[in-house]
Amino acid sequence: MAHLFTNELLADEFTDKMLSPSGSFPSSCNACKQCAPLGACVAFKGIEGVLPMLHGSQGCATYIRRYLISHFREPMDIASSNFSEETTIFGGNRNFNNGINNIISQYHPKVIAIASTCLSETIGEDVPRLISEYQAIHADDMPDMPEMLYASTPSYSGTHYEGFHKAVLAAVKALARGEGKVGRHINLFSNFISPEDIRQLKEITADFGIKTMIFPDYSDTLDSTSWDTYHRIPDGGTTVEELQRSGSAMLSIEFGLIGSLVGAYLEEQFDVVNYRLGLPVGINETDKFFARLAEISGHPIPDKYRKQRGRLVDLYIDGHKYVSNKRAVVYGEPDFVIGMASFLTEIGVKPVMIASGCESGTLHDALKSTLGDLFPADCIVGEGITFEQLETTINALTPDLKPDLMLGNSKGYYIARKLDIPLIRCGFPIHDRIGAQHQKTLCYEGATILFEQIVNALLDDKQRKSSIAYKYM
């Protein structure tokens, strides 16, 4: 069910237009989300030497592999226990054991990261028991047995975003050790971001002189170099040793106001203080992140980043006349849309609709808290919605709220095409353009790129629709 929040004047109007005649929301069609094990596979690819495995049917692994390959443009191996009709009735124990044997003999992974699917969850498979039994059976004949960890990710109770965060938590739960504050390192849980942004975070924390474990780190595993020969398991990723030390870190920084789980776990279990921040998109949220790094390191913000910020402010001034009072629709994962909304309001663009396929029930409050006085009173906030519902709501907007552009993944392109407005492709997934793995969205450099994309898209739209082929703006 979609949850819509808006001002009281518009609430009844939009609810009536989106409800079916029976008084309930229609069945989901073209959902604004993907399945939970897909998100788990992305997070698992951030572990060094890992091979993800889905406990369920072969079709799940094939779909997820193909979907992720189209976004990251990298090969993606995902194993499957390959359920059949017989397995569905009698259980997948034999398939599970055979699958693990095949993975170890063919891939020699350091970690086997297992995610459940709808099918295995529906029949009640006890995967932790299967792992424990396998480890007990092979304890003597397999001294170098890989680490095994498990995340419960049935799609009927979550989205790809929740699957991602469940996998992050599962990895830390399985591997973190509590040995007191033995090191001077910190944990940085970076959320569902691009490989390029992960590399940027590594550079930033290194420039502050802070030893940092970033997890998940798929900056190499999902954005590798070209190879002469195929690598079944690409180099890169957060090491098992680093994950083990996460319980003895000085502190954690966790990006994400919705969905993130791991920082609170480490704080409760190992007394690792957790600082929770929104995704650093735009100046306001990035300032908070850099202030925290300066406090942790005891060093001032490096001049390199002060100049980046100054150039960004200058760019805002240069392009303000092109974006001021424009209206936008933003959709995607909840923390992504919060970060984008914060960025848009600081450059003078009004979000008229902010939508997510996730159903946290807290998106509206998180937006109001982050945006403060800049939160538009008549902005519609939708959770658990489909693209059909998104299109219906946009079409029902009054003329003074009609959007000038959309920001989100490529699945919303057909709506932007119908509305004849620009779509700024960002977030996940992007299947109709190349370079999604290289998108830089975070911090001052990411905001610079985003601002230029938005201004140039609006200028291009204005030129395209003009009867005069003017060449000066």
Side-chain angles (χ1 to χ4, degrees), residues 271-282:
D271 199 29
V272 178
V273 174
N274 184 45
Y275 294 102
R276 201 167 186 179
L277 302 174
L279 279 176
V281 184

Side-chain angles (χ1 to χ4, degrees), residues 25-154:
F25 282 91
S27 59
S28 177
C29 181
N30 195 9
C32 189
K33 61 182 180 181
Q34 285 78 47
C35 70
L38 182 149
C41 287
V42 174
F44 285 151
K45 288 294 286 185
I47 304 172
E48 184 190 43
V50 76
L51 188 76
M53 174 182 174
L54 298 185
H55 191 43
S57 66
Q58 181 65 45
C60 294
T62 302
Y63 148 68
I64 290 172
R65 286 180 60 250
R66 185 67 188 88
Y67 207 90
L68 294 178
I69 288 170
S70 293
H71 177 84
F72 292 104
R73 311 287 174 168
E74 288 289 339
M76 168 76 74
D77 281 10
I78 299 173
S80 171
S81 54
N82 199 12
F83 271 42
S84 63
E85 291 86 348
E86 179 183 348
T87 312
T88 305
I89 296 171
F90 297 108
N93 195 333
R94 184 193 304 172
N95 287 50
F96 180 88
N97 291 336
N98 289 338
I100 297 293
N101 287 336
N102 289 335
I103 290 170
I104 293 174
S105 64
Q106 295 181 37
Y107 287 84
H108 310 290
K110 296 179 182 178
V111 181
I112 301 175
I114 304 154
S116 60
T117 63
C118 295
L119 185 55
S120 59
E121 292 277 355
T122 299
I123 67 172
E125 284 281 87
D126 186 350
V127 179
R129 177 183 63 82
L130 298 181
I131 294 173
S132 178
E133 289 178 353
Y134 185 92
Q135 290 172 329
I137 292 170
H138 296 282
D140 296 329
D141 59 60
M142 201 180 292
D144 297 325
M145 187 184 304
E147 297 278 356
M148 295 187 198
L149 53 95
Y150 164 69
S152 174
T153 54

Side-chain angles (χ1 to χ4, degrees), residues 244-429:
Q244 289 173 340
R245 290 196 296 268
S246 64
S248 58
M250 291 168 52
L251 55 90
S252 299
I253 295 177
E254 184 174 29
F255 287 150
L257 306 176
I258 296 176
S260 302
L261 306 164
V262 66
Y265 168 79
L266 287 174
E267 190 165 43
E268 180 181 340
Q269 294 295 318
F270 301 111
D271 199 29
V272 178
V273 174
N274 184 45
Y275 294 102
R276 201 167 186 179
L277 302 174
L279 279 176
V281 184
I283 290 177
N284 290 330
E285 294 303 301
T286 303
D287 283 352
K288 296 175 186 177
F289 175 47
F290 275 74
R292 182 63 66 190
L293 293 180
E295 178 187 338
I296 293 167
S297 67
H299 302 307
I301 296 172
D303 191 53
K304 167 183 175 180
Y305 298 107
R306 293 186 183 277
K307 288 182 177 179
Q308 285 182 8
R309 188 185 190 279
R311 287 191 289 267
L312 178 57
V313 171
D314 184 64
L315 183 65
Y316 280 7
I317 296 169
D318 293 340
H320 179 68
K321 62 183 178 180
Y322 302 116
V323 296
S324 180
N325 294 320
K326 296 296 184 182
R327 298 174 296 272
V329 169
V330 187
Y331 60 93
E333 295 84 19
D335 285 304
F336 165 82
V337 300
I338 293 170
M340 283 296 169
S342 175
F343 165 70
L344 289 174
T345 53
E346 77 182 25
I347 66 173
V349 175
K350 177 181 178 179
V352 294
M353 184 171 184
I354 301 170
S356 177
C358 300
E359 297 187 64
S360 68
T362 61
L363 179 57
H364 183 265
D365 291 342
L367 280 162
K368 289 194 71 174
S369 175
T370 301
L371 273 58
D373 294 340
L374 295 177
F375 181 76
D378 52 359
C379 177
I380 301 164
V381 180
E383 289 196 78
I385 73 166
T386 67
F387 280 102
E388 267 61 33
Q389 291 167 340
L390 180 64
E391 182 180 6
T392 299
T393 307
I394 293 173
N395 288 333
L397 290 169
T398 56
D400 61 315
L401 294 176
K402 291 293 184 183
D404 299 295
L405 73 157
M406 295 175 63
L407 290 93
N409 60 61
S410 61
K411 290 185 70 177
Y413 169 65
Y414 78 97
I415 300 176
R417 180 185 172 106
K418 287 180 181 179
L419 296 172
D420 196 22
I421 59 175
L423 169 64
I424 309 300
R425 290 168 175 81
C426 43
F428 175 88

